[in-house]
């Protein structure tokens, strides 16, 4: 049995408030524990989006009652909340800027709004961005000009990881994350997954893109699932929303890569624990660890997963390495298929917790 620290996922969507038929703090944090994550950072593109005190209160109340693992919550950047955001900063775990169109209404249009958030958001609190292609170039320039750290979400393309590599070489204070689906899937998997279920932002890319991510592993600071559940009915319907569930398959995929000699355990731990903890200034979790059977062979089946969405793009895939036991703050939280901590066990890791 392999003992690892409790993993941290800096990018998950738990859909509360507003879309608990897709996921909620209970089902989502259960999936997190089963996947070996003891801390998740929750995204603000909910209904309503988390952009002010009243909307944040909805998420905090739900999380406090239902979360089984520890969590942080991001505030969403809107066109007109830059001054409120600065005031709310100590009560949240970071500010999320959406520079490109994706799921939900949060979208920061125009250079002026982006610059205002860069200027107002406290220097020492995490600033994260969905910024693809030219948006990425914008964010990197602003990070350099303001000399302030910025974290780039779900980097997926060759030209993007190379741009980040060059920015880092020039001393720009940028960090980034890559998802397991962009490391293990490409557009060639779309026929197997199905067109509706294959919708995701950024989209599945080419083999050259995927290989560039692996070739630039040293540029990748974190692995983040971007766990983004939508139901089967939604994905198989007329207007499939983008997003993959990922909490319960991430570690198995990455341990399989370890098994294949493409990744070391140390590289995995730095990207799923040490780096996210440092980049997001997260507290240490006392008496917390996961125990993993690195040799356990298993096959992904959606009916065995705990996410409410009911499907996975990795259906039928064979993995090597599985979580056996999770201990969170001294409590046995999960063992061999069973959750042992109740809803409400999770704590908010924001500096001023609600
Ligand atoms: C995310 C979602 O569904 O909330 N979807 C996705 O395809 N990644 C939004 C996002 O992270 O961009
Ligand atoms: Zn995104
Ligand atoms: Zn996301
Ligand atoms: Zn089977």
């Amino acid at each position: 049995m392999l003992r690892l620290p409790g993993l941290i996922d800096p990018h998950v969507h738990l859909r509360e408030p507003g879309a608990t038929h897709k996921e909620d703090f209970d089902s989502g944090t259960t999936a997190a524990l089963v996947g070996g994550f003891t801390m998740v950072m929750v995204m603000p593109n909910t209904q309503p989006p988390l952009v002010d005190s009243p909307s944040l209160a909805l998420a905090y109340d739900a999380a406090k009652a239902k979360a089984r693992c520890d969590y942080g919550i991001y505030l969403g950047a809107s066109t007109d909340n830059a001054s409120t955001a600065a005031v709310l900063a100590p009560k949240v775990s970071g500010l999320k800027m959406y520079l490109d169109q994706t799921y939900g209404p949060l979208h920061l249009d125009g250079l002026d709004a982006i610059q205002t958030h860069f200027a107002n958001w406290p220097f020492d609190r995490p600033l994260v961005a969905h910024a693809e292609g030219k948006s990425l170039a914008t964010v990197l320039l602003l990070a350099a000009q303001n000399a302030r750290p910025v974290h780039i979400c779900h980097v997926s393309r060759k030209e993007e990881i190379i741009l980040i590599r060059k920015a880092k070489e020039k001393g720009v204070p940028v960090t980034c994350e890559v998802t397991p689906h962009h490391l293990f899937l490409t557009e060639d998997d779309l026929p197997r997954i199905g067109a509706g279920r294959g919708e995701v932002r950024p989209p599945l890319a080419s083999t050259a893109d995927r290989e560039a991510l692996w070739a630039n592993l040293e540029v990748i600071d974190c692995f983040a699932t971007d766990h983004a559940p939508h139901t089967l009915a939604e994905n198989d319907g007329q207007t499939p929303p983008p997003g993959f569930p990922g909490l319960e398959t991430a570690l198995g995929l990455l341990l399989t890569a370890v098994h294949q000699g493409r990744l070391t355990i140390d590289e995995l731990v730095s990207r799923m624990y040490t780096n996210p903890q440092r980049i997001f200034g997260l507290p240490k979790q006392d008496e917390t660890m996961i125990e993993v059977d690195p040799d356990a062979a298993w096959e992904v089946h959606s009916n065995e997963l705990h996410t409410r969405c009911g499907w996975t793009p990795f259906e039928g895939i064979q993995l090597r390495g599985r979580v056996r036991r999770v201990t969170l703050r001294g409590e046995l939280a999960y063992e061999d298929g069973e959750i042992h901590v109740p809803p409400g066990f999770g704590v908010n890791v924001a500096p001023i917790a609600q």
Side-chain angles (χ1 to χ4, degrees):
M1 207 73 90
L2 183 66
R3 287 184 174 197
L4 303 176
L7 305 179
I8 300 170
D9 190 343
H11 189 151
V12 307
H13 301 266
L14 298 187
R15 307 306 189 197
E16 204 164 1
T20 54
H21 65 287
K22 298 175 195 272
E23 201 78 289
D24 71 0
F25 275 95
D26 183 355
S27 61
T29 56
T30 296
L33 287 170
V34 173
F37 296 97
T38 54
M39 196 184 287
V40 292
M41 307 276 287
V42 180
M43 287 294 166
N45 61 335
T46 48
Q47 259 184 314
L50 310 181
V51 291
D52 53 19
S53 284
S55 51
L56 272 176
L58 297 174
Y60 280 133
D61 289 349
K64 192 169 198 166
K66 294 159 103 174
R68 297 180 196 250
C69 73
D70 296 347
Y71 57 90
I73 296 183
Y74 289 103
L75 182 70
S78 76
T79 312
D80 55 11
N81 78 344
S83 45
T84 326
V87 176
L88 291 171
K91 298 181 175 183
V92 296
S93 291
L95 179 71
K96 173 69 179 280
M97 299 189 301
Y98 289 90
L99 271 64
D100 302 290
Q101 212 69 56
T102 182
Y103 180 71
L106 285 177
H107 182 221
L108 214 47
D109 247 333
L111 184 56
D112 188 42
I114 302 165
Q115 279 176 318
T116 307
H117 277 290
F118 260 90
N120 284 29
W121 186 248
F123 183 87
D124 58 351
R125 299 300 299 146
L127 178 60
V128 309
H130 177 136
E132 303 176 44
K134 290 188 241 178
S135 302
L136 171 60
T138 302
V139 169
L140 292 177
L141 179 65
L142 293 179
Q145 285 188 343
N146 291 274
R148 70 142 303 139
V150 62
H151 178 81
I152 308 298
C153 297
H154 47 44
V155 176
S156 64
R157 299 178 184 90
K158 181 177 181 177
E159 63 267 31
E160 294 166 345
I161 197 70
I162 289 173
L163 197 63
I164 292 171
R165 170 184 279 279
K166 288 181 177 166
K168 285 186 173 191
E169 284 167 4
K170 293 277 183 195
V172 178
V174 58
T175 56
C176 72
E177 67 189 33
V178 169
T179 69
H181 50 270
H182 291 116
L183 286 170
F184 292 94
L185 301 176
T186 67
E187 55 201 359
D188 297 340
D189 291 286
L190 287 171
R192 175 182 60 80
I193 299 169
R197 300 184 196 187
E199 284 287 346
V200 67
R201 299 289 176 277
L204 293 181
S206 69
T207 303
D209 289 314
R210 186 189 58 188
E211 290 318 309
L213 297 177
W214 282 103
N216 287 280
L217 189 61
E218 62 184 34
V219 183
I220 301 172
D221 299 283
C222 306
F223 297 139
T225 64
D226 189 13
H227 178 81
H230 300 285
T231 66
L232 269 183
E234 291 163 340
N235 280 97
D236 293 345
Q238 285 305 303
T239 50
F244 291 162
L247 283 167
E248 293 168 88
T249 45
L251 184 59
L253 287 161
L254 292 160
L255 286 171
T256 302
V258 171
H259 209 266
Q260 295 164 342
R262 307 165 72 192
L263 186 71
T264 67
I265 285 287
D266 285 352
E267 287 168 338
L268 184 153
V269 170
S270 66
R271 281 141 187 94
M272 301 183 88
Y273 174 70
T274 326
N275 293 346
Q277 188 174 71
R278 184 194 74 245
I279 292 164
F280 296 95
L282 298 168
K284 286 225 157 55
Q285 296 171 297
D286 292 333
E287 292 179 68
T288 297
M289 65 163 175
I290 67 173
E291 288 162 88
V292 169
D293 180 349
D295 291 320
W298 60 292
E299 206 178 85
V300 179
H301 291 293
S302 53
N303 61 357
E304 292 163 18
L305 302 180
H306 298 75
T307 174
R308 194 162 286 158
C309 72
W311 68 282
T312 163
F314 298 103
E315 184 70 44
I317 285 182
Q318 318 249 355
L319 299 178
R320 203 73 192 267
R322 195 165 204 182
V323 178
R324 296 288 307 277
R325 204 175 288 128
V326 176
T327 306
L328 173 52
R329 287 182 276 103
E331 295 288 323
L332 180 67
Y334 170 78
E335 187 173 33
D336 292 335
E338 272 192 64
I339 289 282
H340 294 284
V341 286
F345 182 73
V347 301
N348 185 348
V349 299
I352 301 177
Q354 299 290 290

